[in-house]
Amino acid sequence: MGQTCEVKLLLLISSLCCSTNPAVVTLSPSSSQFFKGDFISFSCEDDHSSAGWTLRRNTSTDTRKECEDWGRQAASSCVIDSAVLMDSGVYWCESTEGGASNYINITVTDGPVILQSPVLPVETGEDVTLICKTKTPPFNLSADFYKDGTFVRTTPTGHMTIHLVSKSDEGAYKCDITGRGESPPTWLFVTGQEVKGGVDLLEPSLTLLVIIHIVVSSPYVLSTLLLVSICRQRPTAPPPGEDEEGLEYDDVDADVTTEHRF
């Protein structure tokens, strides 16, 4: 753990100066689960333009298929007008040079309940809301929420908010509405460093602490050494009644003028 801080600092510096700004695949509406028949729109986005990126997917029936094979091209987006079960799978953007974006996984179900959750990883410290949604009204029904198969809590409106999400909140979630049914499980991804009280929990190494101590204390050390050096070089006056060669004399009878140096 002693070198953890240096490694993280090096990674941060390299990401700041050497970032290639890869594309990001997004979808609308932003959810990891959809009902059969829902409309879904995908797009490839980067900091410059969407040109040069191709949307691909892997499902149980096809591999690395482009938008024209399973969707409809609409400007810079690829849309599915009416989702089917076979649209469940992994989607990503791929450049002509072979670079790849992030990957997203969606599930299409013909069941009566889905759990809407962020399809992209969420940062630690954010608030995340999970929505247990029914296909037919009435909506906003009371729902039970589970994480990794363990009951979490019941909410009267089917909305569960996780405040200040942390890595411990990462896992497989599902919800159940009495009389309606249960949603498929969905995975909540959490990324970023743990925070506590707004401060990143980085473990500084001994080397880093020494450097910080030297930087902070160096003005005081230098000023002290300079003062000592000045004091050592400063000439001292001979004691009263004694000249520079150690001979005593009388200030009154002497025929020379004494010079006192400070």
Side-chain angles (χ1 to χ4, degrees):
M1 297 298 290
Q3 297 180 345
T4 302
C5 188
E6 285 100 334
V7 173
K8 292 181 178 179
L9 289 175
L10 289 174
L11 291 176
L12 176 60
I13 293 173
S14 64
S15 65
L16 290 176
C17 66
C18 308
S19 176
T20 57
N21 297 320
V24 176
V25 57
T26 61
L27 73 162
S28 179
S30 180
S31 176
S32 58
Q33 294 185 4
F34 296 90
F35 288 116
K36 180 181 177 180
D38 281 350
F39 172 88
I40 309 174
S41 176
F42 302 86
S43 62
C44 299
E45 300 177 357
D46 60 19
D47 292 342
H48 305 289
S49 67
S50 59
W53 294 93
T54 301
L55 187 69
R56 295 185 180 274
R57 76 175 191 179
N58 281 351
T59 67
S60 59
T61 58
D62 51 47
T63 301
R64 296 178 57 82
K65 292 292 185 177
E66 299 183 11
C67 174
E68 291 77 6
D69 298 320
W70 47 266
R72 175 174 58 86
Q73 194 72 40
S76 60
S77 300
C78 181
V79 301
I80 298 176
D81 294 301
S82 182
V84 296
L85 301 183
M86 291 183 297
D87 290 323
S88 299
V90 177
Y91 293 75
W92 74 96
C93 297
E94 191 172 286
S95 69
T96 55
E97 292 80 13
S101 70
N102 61 307
Y103 294 80
I104 60 175
N105 184 34
I106 68 170
T107 300
V108 179
T109 177
D110 58 355
V113 178
I114 62 173
L115 179 60
Q116 291 185 330
S117 64
V119 67
L120 296 175
V122 295
E123 290 286 339
T124 55
E126 294 182 352
D127 292 344
V128 178
T129 299
L130 308 180
I131 302 175
C132 195
K133 184 179 179 181
T134 59
K135 188 172 185 177
T136 58
F139 305 107
N140 298 329
L141 298 175
S142 176
D144 299 328
F145 288 85
Y146 298 83
K147 175 181 178 291
D148 299 329
T150 303
F151 174 75
V152 179
R153 64 176 179 266
T154 301
T155 63
T157 60
H159 293 62
M160 185 181 76
T161 299
I162 305 174
H163 297 284
L164 301 176
V165 67
S166 65
K167 291 292 289 184
S168 61
D169 295 312
E170 190 174 70
Y173 289 81
K174 67 178 182 179
C175 66
D176 180 81
I177 298 178
T178 303
R180 292 296 185 94
E182 184 178 273
S183 74
T186 183
W187 191 271
L188 178 66
F189 292 94
V190 180
T191 186
Q193 298 170 352
E194 291 295 323
V195 294
K196 184 176 182 180
V199 179
D200 290 349
L201 295 183
L202 292 177
E203 181 184 356
S205 67
L206 179 60
T207 304
L208 184 62
L209 290 176
V210 171
I211 294 174
I212 293 175
H213 177 73
I214 293 175
V215 171
V216 173
S217 61
S218 59
Y220 304 98
V221 175
L222 291 176
S223 60
T224 302
L225 293 176
L226 182 60
L227 181 59
V228 171
S229 177
I230 293 174
C231 292
R232 293 187 62 181
Q233 295 178 6
R234 178 181 176 183
T236 57
E242 184 176 341
D243 61 12
E244 292 182 353
E245 296 180 355
L247 301 177
E248 295 184 359
Y249 61 92
D250 190 338
D251 286 340
V252 178
D253 297 332
D255 294 332
V256 296
T257 302
T258 59
E259 179 181 356
H260 297 279
R261 293 184 297 175
F262 295 90

